[in-house]
Amino acid sequence: DADVTQTPRNRITKTGKRIMLECSQTKGHDRMYWYRQDPGLGLRLIYYSFDVKDINKGEISDGYSVSRQAQAKFSLSLESAIPNQTALYFCATSDLFRGRGSNEQFFGPGTRLTVL
Amino acid sequence: QKEVEQDPGPLSVPEGAIVSLNCTYSNSAFQYFMWYRQYSRKGPELLMYTYSSGNKEDGRFTAQVDKSSKYISLFIRDSQPSDSATYLCAMSKSNSNSGYALNFGKGTSLLVTP
């Protein structure tokens, strides 16, 4: 079984709809991240969370919100989707106590979101 | 100017060639350097990790970091068609308060032809 799973894998929605993307992990990591990937722009950080009680904005948090329901679950919401939020969304995890301090991150398979 | 620059390619090489992939960066605070490989329609997977300057070898892959030049490289020896993917460089500072945020390059698309 995959260590980091994302649901749904694909989603098509309309402008103005509320969308939630979910991420679950079985790696036991404390840190979780949400990124979006766009052609020509690479991976950009939306939000990250150190633990259940900690949420931090990333580079491009406007228009998004997150919820860390448990150590293993981190969801991303688009309250009112717009077409320029069409992208590939990735969840990632890392382990504070891994010992290297390098923030090696492990990615899920991604959610392809299309906003019409 | 982005903190991490990476030529998007595409780079096309014949099977068996040596591939050189590179990134430059502007922030001297970066201490940790990583290479991720991303196949089409998949999430990035960690390929190589290096701390500070120096070389690291893992099978056909060698990662090099030159902090004085702010330049990192990934070499792939005896390239195979299965190496065809997008390669992303990433780096982070040693700062726990920032959550060790990763800064990614845009990725280089590599095609190895049989």
Side-chain angles (χ1 to χ4, degrees):
Chain A
D1 288 340
D3 294 319
V4 183
T5 57
Q6 293 183 234
T7 56
R9 294 295 312 279
N10 291 281
R11 181 72 184 267
I12 300 173
T13 191
K14 295 182 179 180
T15 297
K17 293 292 188 180
R18 184 179 188 274
I19 295 297
M20 179 180 286
L21 309 182
E22 298 186 338
C23 177
S24 294
Q25 54 115 346
T26 58
K27 299 183 78 66
H29 288 174
D30 56 318
R31 296 180 172 186
M32 299 186 73
Y33 310 79
W34 275 105
Y35 291 89
R36 63 177 282 175
Q37 188 175 41
D38 300 89
L41 295 177
L43 279 162
R44 293 182 290 168
L45 183 64
I46 306 173
Y47 271 96
Y48 63 101
S49 169
F50 286 13
D51 60 37
V52 174
K53 297 180 181 179
D54 179 86
I55 301 290
N56 303 280
K57 292 183 177 181
E59 180 184 353
I60 52 163
S61 59
D62 287 348
Y64 301 95
S65 62
V66 292
S67 174
R68 185 82 182 266
Q69 301 95 324
Q71 187 196 29
K73 295 184 182 296
F74 193 35
S75 61
L76 176 72
S77 294
L78 288 69
E79 296 301 326
S80 180
I82 56 177
N84 75 1
Q85 291 178 313
T86 294
L88 192 53
Y89 288 85
F90 288 104
C91 174
T93 73
S94 67
D95 186 1
L96 173 64
F97 299 108
R98 189 172 177 83
R100 294 178 180 176
S102 69
N103 197 26
E104 299 169 42
Q105 294 184 14
F106 299 85
F107 285 78
T111 294
R112 187 168 297 275
L113 176 66
T114 302
V115 183
L116 301 176
Chain B
Q1 178 191 10
K2 278 186 69 68
E3 288 190 297
V4 181
E5 298 285 351
Q6 184 176 10
D7 188 334
L11 180 62
S12 181
V13 301
E15 184 176 355
I18 297 174
V19 176
S20 174
L21 303 167
N22 311 292
C23 287
T24 59
Y25 62 96
S26 58
N27 194 330
S28 59
F30 289 137
Q31 297 284 337
Y32 303 95
F33 304 92
M34 282 149 271
W35 286 95
Y36 283 81
R37 178 176 61 195
Q38 185 177 18
Y39 291 114
S40 181
R41 298 186 177 276
K42 301 287 186 181
E45 58 177 328
L46 183 65
L47 194 60
M48 297 285 285
Y49 151 82
T50 309
Y51 171 68
S52 193
S53 286
N55 295 358
K56 184 173 184 178
E57 186 174 325
D58 184 1
R60 296 184 295 110
F61 299 89
T62 300
Q64 287 186 352
V65 175
D66 182 350
K67 292 191 70 180
S68 63
S69 300
K70 298 190 180 65
Y71 189 87
I72 69 170
S73 301
L74 177 70
F75 297 96
I76 307 174
R77 293 185 299 279
D78 187 25
S79 56
Q80 303 295 310
S82 59
D83 295 327
S84 298
T86 296
Y87 291 80
L88 301 150
C89 64
M91 45 199 80
S92 67
K93 308 167 195 173
S94 179
N95 181 347
S96 61
N97 291 332
S98 74
Y100 299 99
L102 282 181
N103 293 266
F104 283 90
K106 294 180 180 180
T108 299
S109 176
L110 172 67
L111 176 65
V112 182
T113 56

